[in-house]
């Protein structure tokens, strides 16, 4: 029996994750399970409806800011699970880590967040390639979001309204790791080491890796432990880790500076969506106005319409204010790290190029 194809514009979404408890490791996992993870700066989608309703410049900037803020929430959750090794937020793929986590934010407001997650390890094995959806309710937001000198934002009391989605993603990664054998995880770490070595000196380490029948990278041979070239690679990797720790620290600073204003904006977004929903339900039908009940009903509906417009204007001002609030933090993020220049993404690329050049120069110096 054939079934009709769904309409081209029909969008299928996953079921909401619901309430999700984080899979926390009471005891530190074995060394071979402590994979190093890089969470990339997120990609974002800007929907035309947002641009048309509130202005493209406002929401494109909010989405851009979210791209730097949300990955740190993911990183914090992964660390809190006590399941992994080093976890860092980085501007792009890093050759020194075991597992790369990428995300595209397909929808994000005070009411819902929809993200597509892709997690791939250094061998090329896909851990995750799926969408996650989380919905917020009134109970997910704090009673008070207005921040004043007398009532400052308290990060210790604030609970992320969409924490369930990050818990669900973290749990999915743990579940996938548990399906891998000890040898597969050991081999994965070896591949990571050789990938970084090959990234620095492809002419020296390219033959140490090959793809197997499943198109996964595998180590063909390992250099001797006292290999001077490998020792240089290890020295360079130590320097590289110091650099990416600094980069991650910049993202942490941005996250902390954005957190109060982002919490306010998201609560206003939640209220605005609820207001729009109520207004739509109470839309006045002019053809049946004689059956609407009374003059009181008419005035109530008019008041609802008037207040919805006032709220919409206030929401737009809050959105623009959020962008102005986090603007200095974004500028701080893009300040020079270790004498480099440009955006954080550009500085990261410069750093990798400098490391390769430095490695090449040191390799020419006789022992």
């Amino acid at each position: 029996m054939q079934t009709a194809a769904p309409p081209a514009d029909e969008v299928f979404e996953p079921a909401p994750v619901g309430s999700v408890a984080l899979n926390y490791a009471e005891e530190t996992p074995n060394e071979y399970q402590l994979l190093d993870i890089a969470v990339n700066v997120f990609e974002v989608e800007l929907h035309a409806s947002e641009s048309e309703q509130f202005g493209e410049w406002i929401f494109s900037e909010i989405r851009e800011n979210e791209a730097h803020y949300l990955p740190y929430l993911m990183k914090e959750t992964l660390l809190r699970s006590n399941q992994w090794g080093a976890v860092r937020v980085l501007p792009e793929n890093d050759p020194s880590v075991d597992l790369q986590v990428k995300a595209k934010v397909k929808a994000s407001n005070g009411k819902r967040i929809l993200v597509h997650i892709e997690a791939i390890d250094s061998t090329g094995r896909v851990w995750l390639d799926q969408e996650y959806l989380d919905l917020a309710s009134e109970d997910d937001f704090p009673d008070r979001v207005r921040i004043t000198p007398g009532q400052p934002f308290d990060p210790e009391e604030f609970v992320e309204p969409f924490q369930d989605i990050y818990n669900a993603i973290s749990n999915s990664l743990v579940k996938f790791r548990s399906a891998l054998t000890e040898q597969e995880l050991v081999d994965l770490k070896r591949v990571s080491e050789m990938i970084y070595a090959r990234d620095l000196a492809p002419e020296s380490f390219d033959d140490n890796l090959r793809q197997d029948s499943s198109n996964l990278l595998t180590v063909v041979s390992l250099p001797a432990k006292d290999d001077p070239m490998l020792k240089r690679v290890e020295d360079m990797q130590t320097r590289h880790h110091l650099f990416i720790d600094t980069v991650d620290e910049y993202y942490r600073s941005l996250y902390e500076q954005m957190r109060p204003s982002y919490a306010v904006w998201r609560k206003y977004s939640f209220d605005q969506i609820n207001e729009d929903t109520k207004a739509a339900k109470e839309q006045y039908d002019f053809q049946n106005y004689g059956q609407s009940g009374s003059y009181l009903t008419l005035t109530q509906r008019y008041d609802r319409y008037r207040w919805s417009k006032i709220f919409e204007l206030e929401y737009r001002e809050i959105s623009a204010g959020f962008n102005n609030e986090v603007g200095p933090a974004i500028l701080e993020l893009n300040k020079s790290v270790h004498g480099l220049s440009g955006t954080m993404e550009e500085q990261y690329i410069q750093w990798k190029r400098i490391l390769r050049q430095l490695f090449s120069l040191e390799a020419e110096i006789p022992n």
Side-chain angles (χ1 to χ4, degrees):
M1 177 180 175
Q2 292 184 335
T3 57
D9 58 350
E10 189 171 348
V11 178
F12 293 97
E13 292 186 348
V17 296
S19 179
V20 182
L22 181 64
N23 186 341
Y24 172 78
E26 296 289 344
E27 296 182 3
T28 303
N30 296 307
E31 182 64 31
Y32 63 85
Q33 295 176 304
L34 295 176
L35 304 182
D36 289 347
I37 300 177
V39 181
N40 283 24
V41 170
F42 287 4
E43 294 182 51
V44 293
E45 285 186 2
L46 182 65
H47 296 282
S49 58
E50 292 178 332
S51 302
E52 292 168 1
Q53 187 176 7
F54 299 111
E56 183 174 355
W57 70 271
I58 292 178
F59 276 88
S60 62
E61 198 169 338
I62 286 176
R63 290 289 172 267
E64 195 68 32
N65 293 331
E66 280 184 322
H68 296 89
Y69 179 87
L70 299 179
Y72 207 86
L73 278 172
M74 186 73 256
K75 173 237 169 105
E76 290 255 286
T77 304
L78 293 171
L79 283 180
R80 203 179 307 121
S81 73
N82 195 36
Q83 298 276 6
W84 309 101
V87 184
R88 304 176 180 92
V89 176
L90 296 175
E92 62 172 48
N93 288 354
D94 189 275
S96 70
V97 301
D98 303 308
L99 183 63
Q100 203 84 41
V101 177
K102 302 179 183 180
K104 175 177 282 189
V105 182
K106 308 194 80 172
S108 174
N109 53 44
K111 196 82 172 177
R112 65 200 293 269
I113 183 169
L114 175 66
V115 295
H116 181 271
I117 297 291
E118 183 181 76
I120 303 176
D121 67 28
S122 56
T123 71
R125 184 187 290 110
V126 177
W127 288 40
L128 294 178
D129 185 10
Q130 66 184 80
E131 291 183 348
Y132 292 81
L133 172 67
D134 194 15
L135 305 178
S137 65
E138 188 73 45
D139 294 338
D140 291 319
F141 290 91
D143 296 333
R144 178 183 63 84
V145 294
R146 187 172 295 279
I147 300 168
T148 65
Q151 292 182 311
F153 179 80
D154 186 352
E156 297 300 323
E157 292 185 359
F158 180 75
V159 178
E160 166 60 32
F162 297 102
Q163 185 59 50
D164 290 317
I165 199 169
Y166 302 104
N167 291 351
I169 296 166
S170 177
N171 292 353
S172 295
L173 291 173
V174 173
K175 182 179 179 181
F176 190 94
R177 187 191 62 188
S178 67
L180 298 177
T181 66
E182 177 179 344
Q183 189 58 52
E184 285 176 320
L185 291 169
V186 169
D187 290 343
L188 165 57
K189 281 180 165 286
R190 287 173 178 165
V191 168
S192 301
E193 293 171 6
M194 286 299 98
I195 284 180
Y196 185 73
R198 187 179 66 177
D199 187 70
L200 282 176
E203 68 285 349
S204 299
F205 296 101
D206 199 38
D207 293 336
N208 295 83
L209 292 166
R210 67 172 173 81
Q211 285 187 318
D212 62 16
S213 57
S214 301
N215 290 326
L216 299 180
L217 280 178
T218 183
V219 175
V220 179
S221 61
L222 285 170
K225 288 188 176 181
D226 59 352
D227 186 314
M229 187 72 78
L230 186 61
K231 181 64 170 64
R232 292 192 186 99
V233 169
E234 291 170 351
D235 290 343
M236 286 294 173
Q237 191 165 24
T238 299
R239 299 182 201 180
H240 179 66
H241 284 165
L242 289 173
F243 175 80
I244 59 179
D245 283 341
T246 303
V247 172
D248 179 74
E249 187 65 19
Y250 271 70
Y251 284 111
R252 182 194 64 79
S253 177
L254 173 66
Y255 166 77
E256 290 180 349
Q257 291 180 64
M258 281 183 62
R259 206 174 174 195
S261 54
Y262 187 64
V264 172
W265 174 80
R266 213 157 35 173
K267 180 59 168 68
Y268 268 82
S269 172
F270 178 86
D271 291 341
Q272 169 66 17
I273 293 168
N274 283 345
E275 190 68 26
D276 288 345
T277 302
K278 290 177 183 177
K281 287 180 179 178
E282 297 179 10
Q283 194 71 262
Y284 181 64
D285 185 347
F286 285 98
Q287 292 182 346
N288 299 316
Y289 76 94
Q291 305 170 18
S292 63
S294 65
Y295 172 76
L296 179 61
T297 303
L298 291 175
T299 55
Q300 286 175 337
R301 287 175 174 169
Y302 172 73
D303 285 344
R304 166 67 66 188
Y305 171 80
R306 183 167 60 89
W307 280 110
S308 70
K309 290 301 178 184
I310 292 173
F311 199 97
E312 179 181 311
L313 179 61
E314 186 179 30
Y315 177 50
R316 294 178 66 177
E317 291 176 350
I318 285 287
S319 300
F322 165 70
N323 290 330
N324 293 334
E325 183 76 20
V326 302
I330 294 292
L331 289 175
E332 183 68 26
L333 174 68
N334 290 327
K335 276 188 177 179
S336 175
V337 179
H338 297 319
L340 304 176
S341 60
T343 66
M344 185 58 71
E345 290 80 3
E346 291 166 344
Q347 292 178 52
Y348 181 80
I349 293 170
Q350 290 173 43
W351 170 255
K352 290 204 296 184
R353 184 167 59 245
I354 289 170
L355 270 190
R356 292 191 192 102
Q357 293 170 348
L358 186 59
F359 182 86
S360 179
L361 287 172
E362 289 186 357
E364 295 173 3
I365 300 174
N367 292 322

